[in-house]
Amino acid sequence: MKSTKTLLGLMAAAAVLTLVACGDNGASAGGSDDGDGGDSAEEVNLTFATFSPDQESAIREVLDVFEEQNPGVSVEIQIIPWTDYWSTLQTSTAGGTGPDVAWMLGAKIGQYIDGGVLLPLDDAFEESGLDIEKYPEQLVDLFVDDGTTYALPKDFDTIGLWYNKALFDEAGLAYPTPDWTWDDVITNAKALTKPDGSVYGIGAPMDPQATYYNTIYQAGGEVISEDGTTSGYDSPEAIEGIKFWTDMINVHHVSPTLESFADTESVAQFMSGRLAMLTTGSFYAIRFANDPYSSENFDVTELPGGAQEATIINGIGNVALASTEHPEEAARLAVFLSGEEASQISSETGTVIGSYDGTQQAFVDAFPQFNLQAFLDQAENGVVLPVSRNTDAWASREGEFLTPAWTGEQTVEEAAAGLAGAMNEALAQEN
Amino acid sequence: MTVTQTKGSAAPPAPPAPPGGRRRPNRHPDNAWAAILLAVPFAGLVIFYLWPLLRTVLLSLSEGTAFTGYTVTGFDNWRQLFEGDDVWRALVNTLVYAAIVLLGVPLAMVIAALLHQKGLRGRSFYRTLYFVPVVTMPVAVAMVWRYIYNGDFGLLNEVLDSVGGPTRAWVADPDTALYAVAVVGIWMALGTNLIILAAGLEAVPETLEEAAMLDGAGPIRRFFSVTVPLLTPSIFLVSVLSVIGSLQMFDLLFIMLGRTNPALADSKTIVYLFYEEAFVRNDRPLGAVIALVTLVVTLAVTAVQFRLQRRWVTYA
């Protein structure tokens, strides 16, 4: 009953929006026809879809520069909330009513490339005079298929070891350093944990990008084989990498439980002083800087090493959709949004690390209270967030299968074996 | 008069007008209007219900992705769904949830009866109070209850702790999560149920109550022997709406449990499963199967309720 009403409401809203949108286009198209009769420059309106309201002002700044350099082209930002973003982009693109340019992730791009709905950006890139060598190589590979570039990374993020200086001082311990090992983390976490449960040494949430992917690669394992056909979860190294975290909860008792993280996000627990350490991304720098307690007490260093050094690196790309009416301008915009100027502006805001080499110092300088250089130093050990052609098909199963390992109901070996089986099945379907 | 004429014109099998021949003059201009006015909702029905339903059925028999397009291949998706455990577990969870929320109906009846008492002061204040959750966004409600249920810092645990009761992570524990969410479901539905039942109570003739009183029936006896039987049509309506609403439950679960909750596997409802397959894993055909299963289950449960109503609903 209620959902029917909601649905009707949505349809009505969609109808109104469509009308408004049509009205807009019609008006401006008509205007340029009448007004600029002899002028060759036609008014071009592009829409650009993103999922981050936080970055809107930075994006607008970038777009203003683009509009200035491309007279006659105007760009409208369309912010679609994360929970709706991918289904909206997919359905509207498949229906030919999508935006002209949009944000893209490595985990999602495979389906779009296979569907043939993306514009190649090679020509526009060449024209822009940008240097491909200046982008993090691992991320560029994510968006290139068969030698054709479909997107360029606009930014990147890596994972670091954040810590609460006040809690380290209280326990009389030295702050973490880049040369820490896994054992150092465990020893210190034990010393930091208070028996009454008010402070835990570290947070061990079940978060692929922030926790266990990193340690799987540090242990020498892999999430997915290099050719993208088989799961790496059943290797001893991957199991070791997962165990590092489950042991924190079930063996060493230095982290709150998974139940606790379900109730209160790990970052929220960290910001309230309940966790002394948390491994998470550069993308939280702005949130920590805006919070007085975190800004004063937090700092960050490189991830501790396992058998080898590794951190998960990820970034957002900008794609141009083939359904656009202005392919040339759309491709130029997609490249510009990942270019040097855009990168510089992103870094200066401190929201993300600009991807173009040479613009990143601005990010480090944005919040001098944190040692953000650690995130840049790690980039060379970056392992790109593992993806396949249809990442969601198996990534959505990870939580399901690993939960019993986190709660201690199953051994990591059992959970990982189950996950590997389901993942191999999903991968078999896409190949 | 008009009615008879309409019937008269419709009754004889109208011979099809010969092509090009002179059509019989339409003696009832009202008929044209009726057809036009009926066509609008009928078109709506076709466009928004029948056509999507047909498309869903076709999609459930198809393979493909949004970009490659979908081609009808057969019953593979149905087989895949029913061979796995997920759908059975989700169906059981959904029915358990619906059954618990149904317990909110007697609760609403008691509150409605209390609010109906003569001489109660501040009645509209209480009614507004009970109706607030109905007009509040489910997301906001879910967020607030998440804080109440929080295992480490929650209000509920604070209260239970002070009286020596059991404390736990209510929505992160597989044993309690579904029940904890159902309590919120009851609370949210209470307002609507109250309004319908209150209207039903208003319709109970006072003379009957008075007669029962003269016969010596106390307030409890009057409630069960006079009020409840006369209220059964409203109770039936409320129960049906409640069950249909519960079978479609998604938002509370989605917000209150989150994505990495250890209780999630044991608490997924059928619509949650639909969301996961259709929008997380992008398997729209499998999603279509689940949507149809939901439809069939809803129809079946509602049909059972309508059958059972003959035994207990009295239409005065």
Side-chain angles (χ1 to χ4, degrees):
Chain A
M1 188 76 181
K2 199 146 124 222
S3 63
T4 317
K5 269 187 215 155
T6 321
L7 191 67
L8 282 176
L10 281 178
M11 288 191 296
V16 171
L17 282 179
T18 320
L19 288 177
V20 171
C22 293
D24 251 342
N25 285 343
S28 51
S32 60
D33 279 353
D34 296 341
D36 315 330
D39 205 321
S40 59
E42 201 191 331
E43 189 82 15
V44 172
N45 295 308
L46 298 175
T47 47
F48 168 47
T50 93
F51 49 75
S52 171
D54 298 339
Q55 297 188 33
E56 186 179 1
S57 62
I59 294 167
R60 192 64 256 176
E61 234 177 284
V62 174
L63 292 177
D64 288 344
V65 179
F66 179 78
E67 285 174 355
E68 215 170 279
Q69 293 180 6
N70 295 271
V73 181
S74 64
V75 189
E76 186 197 334
I77 312 180
Q78 206 176 31
I79 295 179
I80 306 168
W82 169 259
T83 41
D84 298 335
Y85 184 82
W86 296 106
S87 53
T88 307
L89 187 64
Q90 197 193 54
T91 23
S92 64
T93 303
T97 57
D100 300 297
V101 177
W103 273 6
M104 181 55 66
L105 289 176
K108 309 279 182 178
I109 199 169
Q111 294 204 306
Y112 287 81
I113 294 175
D114 290 346
V117 293
L118 300 180
L119 282 182
L121 298 183
D122 301 287
D123 294 348
F125 184 73
E126 208 155 296
E127 189 191 312
S128 70
L130 294 165
D131 180 2
I132 197 81
E133 300 282 316
K134 298 237 177 177
Y135 290 97
E137 195 189 337
Q138 312 95 316
L139 289 184
V140 172
D141 291 347
L142 207 52
F143 301 122
V144 175
D145 188 63
D146 270 346
T148 308
T149 306
Y150 291 100
L152 289 157
K154 77 174 207 43
D155 58 25
F156 71 85
D157 50 66
T158 57
I159 309 298
L161 177 67
W162 290 90
Y163 57 93
N164 186 327
K165 289 183 285 185
L167 293 175
F168 271 83
D169 290 344
E170 209 184 310
L173 298 170
Y175 299 150
T177 57
D179 53 13
W180 265 27
T181 61
W182 284 12
D183 287 337
D184 290 321
V185 177
I186 296 166
T187 335
N188 279 276
K190 281 180 181 163
L192 287 156
T193 303
K194 291 185 183 170
D196 63 357
S198 61
V199 175
Y200 283 95
I202 192 166
M206 190 173 60
D207 179 338
Q209 191 182 357
T211 61
Y212 62 90
Y213 278 3
N214 297 282
T215 47
I216 286 177
Y217 285 95
Q218 286 172 3
E222 58 186 12
V223 172
I224 184 167
S225 64
E226 235 157 80
D227 59 1
T229 55
T230 50
S231 169
Y233 272 114
D234 42 7
S235 74
E237 292 84 7
I239 289 165
E240 197 189 335
I242 298 171
K243 229 178 183 152
F244 176 75
W245 296 106
T246 56
D247 280 359
M248 294 287 184
I249 298 175
N250 300 315
V251 176
H252 309 304
H253 306 288
V254 293
S255 161
T257 58
L258 190 59
E259 284 87 351
S260 176
F261 290 124
D263 275 339
T264 316
E265 247 193 317
S266 54
V267 174
Q269 296 204 21
F270 185 46
M271 289 174 76
S272 63
R274 196 181 190 221
L275 307 176
M277 292 182 274
L278 186 69
T279 64
T280 193
S282 47
F283 38 79
Y284 276 129
I286 188 163
R287 200 198 284 195
F288 295 156
N290 288 334
D291 175 64
Y293 174 82
S294 312
S295 176
E296 196 186 318
N297 294 308
F298 288 3
D299 206 346
V300 62
T301 187
E302 291 173 35
L303 281 182
Q308 57 200 55
E309 300 277 338
T311 180
I312 295 297
I313 184 169
N314 193 25
I316 296 172
N318 288 295
V319 293
L321 280 314
S323 55
T324 178
E325 282 173 28
H326 311 286
E328 207 177 297
E329 288 84 357
R332 208 185 307 148
L333 174 62
V335 171
F336 185 84
L337 284 166
S338 301
E340 190 172 359
E341 282 152 304
S343 191
Q344 178 72 29
I345 293 172
S346 304
S347 287
E348 276 167 10
T349 60
T351 35
V352 288
I353 309 175
S355 56
Y356 206 70
D357 215 13
T359 66
Q360 289 130 1
Q361 191 57 38
F363 174 77
V364 176
D365 297 340
F367 307 116
Q369 65 270 50
F370 305 138
N371 172 31
L372 299 178
Q373 183 65 38
F375 290 110
L376 301 183
D377 292 346
Q378 287 185 100
E380 56 186 279
N381 303 321
V383 175
V384 76
L385 192 76
V387 298
S388 72
R389 295 311 265 196
N390 187 8
T391 312
D392 293 322
W394 52 267
S396 63
R397 297 249 175 230
E398 290 173 333
E400 202 175 307
F401 280 94
L402 293 180
T403 294
W406 245 264
T407 55
E409 282 166 62
Q410 264 184 18
T411 63
V412 175
E413 284 83 357
E414 287 167 339
L419 175 55
M423 182 168 165
N424 281 329
E425 218 172 279
L427 289 172
Q429 276 192 9
E430 65 182 69
N431 289 305
Chain B
M1 190 65 177
T2 334
V3 176
T4 15
Q5 278 180 350
T6 317
K7 264 190 179 165
S9 69
R22 193 164 162 266
R23 283 188 54 179
R24 206 152 53 111
N26 190 341
R27 281 177 295 154
H28 312 290
D30 282 357
N31 286 358
W33 275 111
I36 292 168
L37 291 176
L38 276 175
V40 175
F42 185 71
L45 189 73
V46 172
I47 294 171
F48 294 119
Y49 289 95
L50 297 179
W51 179 240
L53 182 62
L54 181 71
R55 290 293 299 261
T56 308
V57 173
L58 286 179
L59 191 58
S60 78
L61 303 173
S62 305
E63 297 291 336
T65 65
F67 297 129
T68 57
Y70 299 97
T71 41
V72 177
T73 51
F75 285 90
D76 288 351
N77 300 308
W78 290 84
R79 212 170 296 130
Q80 188 194 336
L81 187 72
F82 284 102
E83 274 171 5
D85 303 333
D86 289 358
V87 72
W88 300 111
R89 197 158 38 164
L91 276 174
V92 169
N93 288 340
T94 310
L95 292 175
V96 167
Y97 177 85
I100 304 170
V101 173
L102 206 52
L103 294 178
V105 175
L107 179 69
M109 261 169 62
V110 171
I111 297 174
L114 290 176
L115 287 181
H116 189 64
Q117 286 175 89
K118 269 195 206 122
L120 179 76
R121 295 171 70 185
R123 180 175 307 172
S124 42
F125 171 73
Y126 289 120
R127 279 194 186 161
T128 313
L129 210 59
Y130 281 113
F131 204 68
V132 166
V134 181
V135 291
T136 311
M137 298 251 299
V139 176
V141 169
M143 290 304 292
V144 170
W145 278 89
R146 257 185 87 147
Y147 290 125
I148 295 176
Y149 282 141
N150 190 303
D152 293 315
F153 323 101
L155 184 67
L156 181 62
N157 276 353
E158 291 282 322
V159 172
L160 286 173
D161 205 28
S162 66
V163 297
T167 63
R168 53 169 80 213
W170 297 96
V171 287
D173 187 328
D175 294 335
T176 53
L178 193 63
Y179 302 94
V181 175
V183 167
V184 184
I186 292 178
W187 182 72
M188 280 189 79
L190 200 57
T192 320
N193 293 354
L194 269 182
I195 295 287
I196 297 174
L197 292 173
L201 280 173
E202 298 287 341
V204 173
E206 254 175 60
T207 46
L208 286 180
E209 295 256 0
E210 279 163 13
M213 209 183 327
L214 289 177
D215 286 341
I220 307 271
R221 180 73 202 267
R222 284 206 304 278
F223 179 70
F224 283 108
S225 299
V226 179
T227 315
V228 171
L230 288 169
L231 203 56
T232 45
S234 308
I235 298 173
F236 175 62
L237 174 67
V238 163
S239 312
V240 171
L241 291 181
S242 226
V243 168
I244 293 178
S246 323
L247 292 176
Q248 295 170 351
M249 209 279 289
F250 168 73
D251 38 13
L252 283 181
L253 202 66
F254 184 67
I255 311 275
M256 287 181 67
L257 263 59
R259 294 290 286 277
T260 58
N261 192 315
L264 194 56
D266 293 309
S267 319
K268 274 179 206 166
T269 58
I270 191 84
V271 180
Y272 195 99
L273 194 66
F274 165 78
Y275 161 78
E276 267 193 346
E277 291 298 347
F279 293 107
V280 178
R281 285 180 206 129
N282 279 322
D283 195 338
R284 301 287 151 90
L286 199 59
V289 178
I290 301 174
L292 290 172
V293 169
T294 313
L295 177 72
V296 170
V297 169
T298 311
L299 285 177
V301 172
T302 313
V304 169
Q305 282 183 293
F306 268 89
R307 259 208 111 70
L308 289 179
Q309 69 150 337
R310 296 181 197 160
R311 304 221 182 135
W312 63 276
V313 178
T314 356
Y315 291 100

